[in-house]
Structure formats: structure tokens, C-alpha cells
Amino acid sequence: MSQRPYNFSAGPAALPEEVLHQAAAEMLDWHGSGMGVMEMSHRGREFMSIAEAAEADLRELLAVPANFRILFMQGGGLAENAIVPMNLSRGEQADFVITGSWSQKSAKEALRYCDAKVIASNAEGGHLTMPDPAGWALRPGARYVHVCTNETIHGVEFQALPDLKALGSDAALVIDCSSHILSRTIDWSKVGLAFAGAQKNIGPAGVTIVIVREDLLGHALAICPSAFDYKTVADNASMYNTPPTYGIYIAGLVFQWVKRQGGVAEMERRAVEKAELLYGYLDGEGAGCYVNRIDPACRSRMNVPFQLRDESRNEAFLAGAKARGLLQLKGHKSVGGMRASIYNAMPLAGVQALVAYLREFANAPL
Ligand code: PMP
């Protein structure tokens, strides 16, 4: 295979090269059917087999228990910010933990549908730590508690899920795991609903994964569009309306790729190795030139924001990176600086190449 540049985009993000080759080979004729996947009826035998395999593989990879339904939806994380309260809040209380931009957006959107309240926040100081669950002001009447388990922009990640029961709450835990799904295991005993846009660790934008405990189905507000009512979607095996068929197919190929690599445990092992290499350099040898201000205990393994100490060199840094085949390292505009997103599809060699460039740039005469 040819050497492609390493792509550090936060999403839509790089996909495993093997998957892209397979999709290209099958583009015009899927498995001798005479049709490309984009051209198939979603109700035909061929696509049904693709969708069923994708769901079964995801269930196996994440060890999703039988009392949870896996839904393939559309609208991305931002639509889920409305769809979750429409389905779970019953117009009553929902609690939100603010850890960065994405959870902030979730809390704001939910206010349109229910009594949404911020019950903990790391905003003071700039989202550099995680609010300790022991200090959350959980409301006894809340239907659910929303957390974003990996904040893609701010680069903070929960290293363990909060245990709401142990904190005395009966609320369902809702996790937005868009930017680290399949990079670590999920303890389903603590979770009511998980959602994730596909465009980071799963496949193309346009597919949204929702994994929801069965007892949470069937309580949608009357205003909830039928196509966004989890029960309707579940009852129709995600085919109430035409699902994003090609995206589901690519997601299925990615699930098979993850299985071939050794599953989520292996993805996690690699994520730790890659993150340790990059943070290790930034904190150690590279500390004179670069800085990451996030509390080491809360740092994301997937999204690594960092700044040059001399920000006047930002453009030169990015130009040099591009010339070396290291793409999309510019940080989000709200945080500035740089961000390296190192999802499952980023090989260790990509992070090694980044560290080699960081070192070269740091040591270059001005
Ligand atoms: N949540 C998280 C954690 C995200 O990273 C993103 C997108 N980067 C979203 C939600 C929003 O996803 P979308 O743009 O697909 O609606």
C-alpha cells in the first residue's frame, strides 16, 4: 500500500486504509450482486445482511447487553442533543455536567424540551480538569444525567464512568461518546443511553449510533418527530425511514477491521501507547517549545490540544507539518493552537512521525 499522509483531523477523521481499499474494490459490485451498496434497497436481502452484521459486530465489540437496543440514526451529536430530551426527559428534570463545548451545547439545547440544569462544571479555569462526581449537585427528580465522556475540542476525557447509583441517584446516565467510542470498554451497568456520531472512530459523517436500555423506550414527548422516537426506530430495526445505508456499510467494515486488530481491548492498548508517546514528549523534552495545560489525570487519549509557547510560529509549524505529510493539526478556533486527534485509525507510526516533527521544529534555529 502507498504511504498516505497522516491525517490528524478531529472529524470527519481518517479511516483505516484497509477499509478504504475494500470499499473501493466493492464500489461498483458488492459481492457479485451487480450493485454498489449505495444503489441497493435498504429492505433488500443484500443490505439487510450488511446492516445485521454491522449491528452484531458492534454489539460484540462493545459487549452490549441484550437489554440494550442498538439504533443507527441520522442527525449527528447535535440532533441527539434534542432527541435525547425529547425521548427521555418526559418534560421533567435533566441534569448536565459541563466539561467543554459539546456538553455546553447539549445543556443549552435540552432547555427547549425540559427543565435542564447544570449541576457541575469545569468551566472555571478553562475546562482543564474534570468535576469530581462526589461534588455533583444531582437532583433527586432528574430523569437523566448527561455527560460528554470525551470533549473533542478541550481534550478532556472521563477515565471512568460516574456511578450514579453509588451517588444516590436513580437517574439514567446519558453519555455522548462521539469522539472515543470503540477506544475503550463501556461499563453498561452504569449507562442508560450512549450516543456517538460516526465520523471519528466509526465511519463517514451521517450515521449516529444510539445504544439505549430498553426500559427507556416509549416515553417520547408528543412533539417528538416519529423518525426520532427511539421506540419507533427500535421497533423498525432502524429502518423506519431510509437509513444512511452507505455509512452503515462503511461502519460495518470498520467494525470488522477493529475485530481483526484484536477488538476494543487492543484499540485501548494502542490508544494508551500513542497518547503516552505524545504527552510524554510534550511534557518532557518538548516542554520548552510546547504546552498542554490539561490536568494529566483528565487528558484525552483521542484529542490532544497543545500550544506553541511562541504563537507567532503557528503558521510556520503548520506549513512544515503539511510538507512532511502531517495534516489537519490546526486547533479548534475556540481554543487556538494545535490539536492532534489520534483516533483508532491513526497508527503508532503516525504519532512517531508527529513527535519526530515536533522535535525537529523545536530544535530548528529561529
Ligand atoms: N459531541 C461531540 C463529543 C463531538 O465531538 C461532536 C462533533 N465534533 C458533536 C457532539 C456534534 O456532532 P455533529 O456535528 O455530528 O452533530
Side-chain angles (χ1 to χ4, degrees), residues 75-79 102 148 150-152 176 178-179 195 197 199-200:
L78 291 194
W102 295 111
C148 176
N150 185 67
E151 287 278 1
T152 322
D176 171 359
S178 294
S179 49
F195 71 81
Q199 65 268 28
K200 294 136 191 339

Side-chain angles (χ1 to χ4, degrees), residues 26-251:
E26 295 177 346
M27 172 73 82
L28 275 72
D29 181 6
W30 183 81
H31 294 199
S33 65
M35 301 177 278
V37 175
M38 277 180 264
E39 306 166 308
M40 291 173 181
S41 163
H42 58 297
R43 304 198 186 279
R45 187 169 48 84
E46 294 87 354
F47 184 74
M48 295 285 272
S49 73
I50 290 171
E52 279 162 17
E55 183 183 329
D57 285 339
L58 182 58
R59 190 175 286 279
E60 182 185 328
L61 281 169
L62 282 177
V64 179
N67 64 328
F68 281 75
R69 302 296 298 267
I70 297 180
L71 313 178
F72 292 94
M73 296 183 68
Q74 300 178 69
L78 291 194
E80 287 306 320
N81 285 348
I83 297 170
V84 171
M86 279 196 283
N87 277 274
L88 264 51
S89 74
R90 308 193 200 186
E92 299 170 11
Q93 296 179 343
D95 288 347
F96 288 78
V97 178
I98 302 301
T99 49
S101 306
W102 295 111
S103 44
Q104 237 152 12
K105 280 192 165 48
S106 304
K108 190 164 172 233
E109 182 76 4
L111 268 177
R112 305 174 63 177
Y113 304 100
C114 64
D115 171 8
K117 186 169 180 211
V118 173
I119 53 117
S121 172
N122 67 352
E124 204 175 311
H127 307 294
L128 301 177
T129 59
M130 280 299 200
D132 179 358
W136 295 359
L138 295 161
R139 290 183 293 177
R143 287 283 174 191
Y144 69 92
V145 177
H146 176 112
V147 300
C148 176
T149 43
N150 185 67
E151 287 278 1
T152 322
I153 293 175
H154 288 92
V156 290
E157 181 172 11
F158 278 93
Q159 302 304 333
L161 290 176
D163 186 345
L164 295 184
K165 268 202 194 72
L167 295 168
S169 164
D170 291 329
L173 180 69
V174 170
I175 61 172
D176 171 359
C177 55
S178 294
S179 49
H180 70 168
I181 189 169
L182 290 177
S183 73
R184 51 166 72 229
T185 53
I186 295 178
D187 178 352
W188 294 102
S189 71
K190 295 179 180 159
V191 174
L193 182 146
F195 71 81
Q199 65 268 28
K200 294 136 191 339
N201 257 341
I202 288 185
V207 180
T208 318
I209 306 288
V210 176
I211 305 176
V212 54
R213 216 173 55 213
E214 263 165 0
D215 61 280
L216 298 172
L217 301 174
H219 304 290
L221 300 180
I223 55 155
C224 181
S226 306
F228 290 156
D229 181 332
Y230 292 140
K231 182 162 188 339
T232 306
V233 179
D235 286 349
N236 290 279
S238 300
M239 305 246 184
Y240 173 72
N241 63 329
T242 312
T245 52
Y246 198 75
I248 293 172
Y249 156 71
I250 299 286

